[in-house]
Amino acid sequence: MSNLSDIKRRIASVKQTRQITGAMETVSVAKMRKAIDKLEFNRVYFKTLCDIMRSVEQSATDDGDDCRAKSGNGKNMLIVFSSDRGLCGGFDHDIFRFAEKLCDEHTVIVPIGQIAGGYYKTRANADMRLVDFYKPEYSVAERIAEQLIEMYENGAQSVTLVYSELLSRSTYGPTALRLLPVITETDKANRACSIDLFEPSKSDIKKIITPMYVAGAVYGALLNNVAAEHCARHAAMSAATESADEVISRLSVEYNRARQSAVTEQIVEIIGSTAALKNQGAVNEKRP
């Protein structure tokens, strides 16, 4: 009977875990839909702003005031986004593996998010100043943009964002976006946005649009990463719930078999006892 008690206790424990994973799955669905809607609402703005910045940079002729590639041996800043919490499967580790492929001896890693902060905190080439800036808000993106522009102006060779891009409502994957220097198109036919006239000047326009471009790109990366994170957490909690159902089903079968075995054993004992009593009674009757 102790075995039955153990199995029954395990079933109750797994059912409690299933309730937790089921609730987290429901919450993840709601957060995922909200994040995806927010991303889709702002996607056109990100693309248009990026096209405008590339067009302006393509037409730039002033020396010393553009965001083109620098010469020298400055560090390559790799801005790695992660989640703030776990329970989302291999979401964060996929980003970290992807980022490792982009690292070399001239790379400085700037993690954003608590998971990335914990992962890179022992690295000698990690800059931890932006770990706590993981919120899908434009004001946060503006603060990150200020730090990135300052890094670039202080000698960084390049600034690249590494995050998980939402490809559809159920698929995502790590990607890299070189933010600074701005990648320009050499073929004008491939440029989505072309600006030939500048008022008051190219330099003034770039001073205004560069912070907007960097903040918009960072905000887009935040929204993509948050939406992908919720998709990953939903998939992980859904898989955990299904696994809990399988464990409950297996334990229920095991419990029923153990109970049937115990009942059978008791019946055999009763039959054996009854037979022994009958035999004892028969022996007593034969005695004089």
Side-chain angles (χ1 to χ4, degrees), residues 241-259:
T241 302
E242 292 178 0
S243 297
D245 289 335
E246 293 177 0
V247 171
I248 291 172
S249 178
R250 178 174 56 82
L251 289 176
S252 297
V253 172
E254 185 178 348
Y255 176 81
N256 291 333
R257 288 177 177 175
R259 185 178 62 178

Side-chain angles (χ1 to χ4, degrees), residues 27 106 134 141 158 163 228 235 244 254 276:
V27 172
H106 301 294
Y134 186 70
S158 64
Y163 59 96
E254 185 178 348

Side-chain angles (χ1 to χ4, degrees), residues 62-83:
D62 301 327
D63 294 331
D65 63 346
D66 59 10
C67 294
R68 295 181 180 182
K70 298 179 179 181
S71 59
N73 297 321
K75 295 293 186 179
N76 297 313
M77 312 302 294
L78 201 64
I79 317 302
V80 181
F81 292 80
S82 76
S83 64

